[in-house]
Amino acid sequence: MKKILLPSFLLLSAMGFSQSLVQAYKNRATQVTQTNINTLLTDFTSYGVKTTGSTANNNAFAWLKSKYVAFGYDAAQITENAFTYNSKQTKNLIVTKTGTVYPNKYLIVCGHYDTITGPGTNDNGSGISIILEAARILQNVSSEYSIKFINFSGEEQGLYGSQAYVTNVVKATNPKMDIILVLNLDEVGGVAGMTNNKVIAEKDGTPTYPTNGTYSTYPSSNNAASTIKTTELKNSMLNYSNITPVDGYIERSDYMPFEKEGYVVTGLYEFNESNKPHTANDTYVNMDPVYVYNIAQGIVGAIQHFSTADTSITLSANAVSKNLSDRVSLFPNPANNFLNIGLDGKGFTTTIVDMSGKTIMQSKDQQDLDTSKLINGIYLVKITMGNETTTKKLIIKK
Ligand SMILES: [Zn+2]
């Protein structure tokens, strides 16, 4: 998706904020790991240009399916929705978790996995990585409403995958599918080298653009409900991530076929808009994996909020022993000539890489690092201890 910038953005006002943080939701949000996000983005990229119906597109589909199986979803939960584009077959992948109280009411969390011209690490490896990480964390968590994680194909040529799903599945049942909300993630990868700390929360409305009149045929009866749900999405971002939501409108992505049917939709889109999507340069080095990691935490919180997930805190082995990511701190950050790695214990390796992935420094069991030779910019600090790795963003500012 490409977005035309809004003339101005309204910052969310904290006034009237009433959605309180749920500790169990927060605990699960912090189970997102930078390592998983990095691996998912890299794996997604490795399949190449995933044009709808191509071999790369089918290979990516098989990879997606294997991930859900590995997370513990069984055959009955995983369904495929095939359609034909340009005389080639391609498939949407749908993974369903059944709700305990409202099994026939669905929260849909979706994003497209097809790409065009390039490998699409940002558009939309970012959204797909977040959906996968959320599905992993929530696999064992019960919720009152059912959740569908949907990976659409055919988006780039004109929302063909989401339209096929709405036509052949959502509307094919009588009564038609009861969807409480469609939450779409498309292009939330940000821009390498920029401070990516805001995200556009997209509500349904009548934007002042585009001028081609596309939106005139869309219903407005669902706009008010979208505004309410989008406010809840913004509150979830504030509660469960360090990303600040900014107001915007839905446009040209997989929520549109649902919107046209009168369903309530919302979505997220990057605030710093990359100019790389739909080019061969939509790659890992040109986006911000730390931004994806941060947004993923907010989304894990939001999915639990919208689906009314279990609020009890289970003391699993993971919860008791803090994971490496929580034990590591960088100080100061931004840093100038020195950096302190806050971590107790021995046996850790620190690697500092620049945004092109080049290793700049490496040390072992060293807490005070001389960073006087690093030039201004954003770096990734990877810390490995035992079989755990965590990655933090470091800013050098002199
Ligand atoms: Zn997209």
Side-chain angles (χ1 to χ4, degrees), residues 74-376:
D74 60 41
Q77 293 176 291
I78 304 175
T79 57
E80 303 179 2
N81 167 228
F83 63 99
T84 304
Y85 168 74
N86 205 7
S87 68
K88 286 179 185 146
Q89 207 194 54
T90 183
K91 289 183 275 190
N92 299 320
L93 182 67
I94 302 102
V95 176
T96 308
K97 268 174 61 63
T98 303
T100 54
V101 180
Y102 309 104
N104 296 318
K105 289 176 185 284
Y106 299 94
L107 165 67
I108 288 181
V109 183
C110 58
H112 71 89
Y113 72 92
D114 65 297
T115 74
I116 194 161
T117 315
T121 314
N122 183 356
D123 182 16
N124 184 33
S126 59
I128 290 296
S129 299
I130 292 170
I131 293 169
L132 284 169
E133 186 65 342
R136 177 187 71 82
I137 292 165
L138 299 176
Q139 189 270 335
N140 236 340
V141 177
S142 67
S143 57
E144 293 189 5
Y145 292 91
S146 291
I147 303 171
K148 282 184 184 289
F149 298 103
I150 307 186
N151 310 264
F152 287 121
S153 184
E155 195 270 352
E156 297 291 6
Q157 287 79 16
L159 317 181
Y160 290 115
S162 47
Q163 185 61 63
Y165 183 73
V166 168
T167 303
N168 302 326
V169 182
V170 171
K171 289 170 68 182
T173 53
N174 189 16
K176 69 179 189 178
M177 194 184 285
D178 189 348
I179 301 170
I180 59 167
L181 179 67
V182 176
L183 168 55
N184 187 62
L185 299 169
D186 191 357
E187 204 181 317
V188 285
V191 180
M194 286 182 80
T195 301
N196 300 293
N197 57 9
K198 293 180 189 151
V199 71
I200 297 177
E202 306 167 305
K203 65 180 170 188
D204 191 354
T206 310
T208 54
Y209 61 87
T211 52
N212 63 13
T214 312
Y215 295 94
S216 61
T217 58
Y218 284 61
S220 57
S221 54
N222 46 2
N223 290 9
S226 168
T227 299
I228 292 169
K229 292 293 186 185
T230 305
T231 300
E232 293 178 27
L233 174 61
K234 293 195 294 185
N235 288 340
S236 292
M237 295 309 290
L238 292 170
N239 279 337
Y240 305 111
S241 81
N242 59 4
I243 300 292
T244 304
V246 170
D247 286 331
Y249 289 104
I250 59 165
E251 90 172 83
R252 285 175 290 179
S253 189
D254 286 319
Y255 34 37
M256 294 316 262
F258 293 91
E259 203 283 341
K260 207 166 184 177
E261 270 314 298
Y263 288 109
V264 181
V265 305
T266 191
L268 289 184
Y269 183 77
E270 62 194 7
F271 178 81
N272 291 332
E273 187 177 12
S274 173
N275 60 7
K276 301 295 189 278
H278 307 176
T279 77
N281 292 321
D282 185 1
T283 56
Y284 189 85
V285 293
N286 288 324
M287 42 91 73
D288 181 355
V290 179
Y291 182 57
V292 179
Y293 161 76
N294 287 326
I295 288 184
Q297 296 190 38
I299 287 297
V300 171
I303 293 171
Q304 295 177 89
H305 167 74
F306 288 127
S307 66
T308 316
D310 182 17
T311 57
S312 58
I313 296 170
T314 45
L315 287 178
S316 65
N318 276 346
V320 176
S321 66
K322 269 188 160 184
N323 60 31
L324 183 62
S325 170
D326 294 330
R327 287 163 53 205
V328 173
S329 65
L330 304 182
F331 181 83
N333 193 7
N336 185 348
N337 292 329
F338 82 95
L339 175 70
N340 178 269
I341 309 286
L343 173 62
D344 42 32
K346 290 267 177 218
F348 66 93
T349 306
T350 306
T351 309
I352 299 182
V353 299
D354 67 15
M355 291 311 281
S356 72
K358 196 173 126 202
T359 297
I360 307 294
M361 284 177 70
Q362 196 156 42
S363 65
K364 225 176 154 18
D365 288 336
Q366 205 174 323
Q367 289 199 275
D368 289 307
L369 303 180
D370 177 358
T371 53
S372 60
K373 296 215 164 61
L374 298 191
I375 57 167
N376 285 349

Side-chain angles (χ1 to χ4, degrees), residues 52-73:
T52 303
S54 65
T55 301
N57 180 256
N58 293 331
N59 290 342
F61 177 90
W63 167 73
L64 282 169
K65 196 170 169 180
S66 75
K67 296 304 290 183
Y68 288 102
V69 170
F71 297 155
Y73 290 93

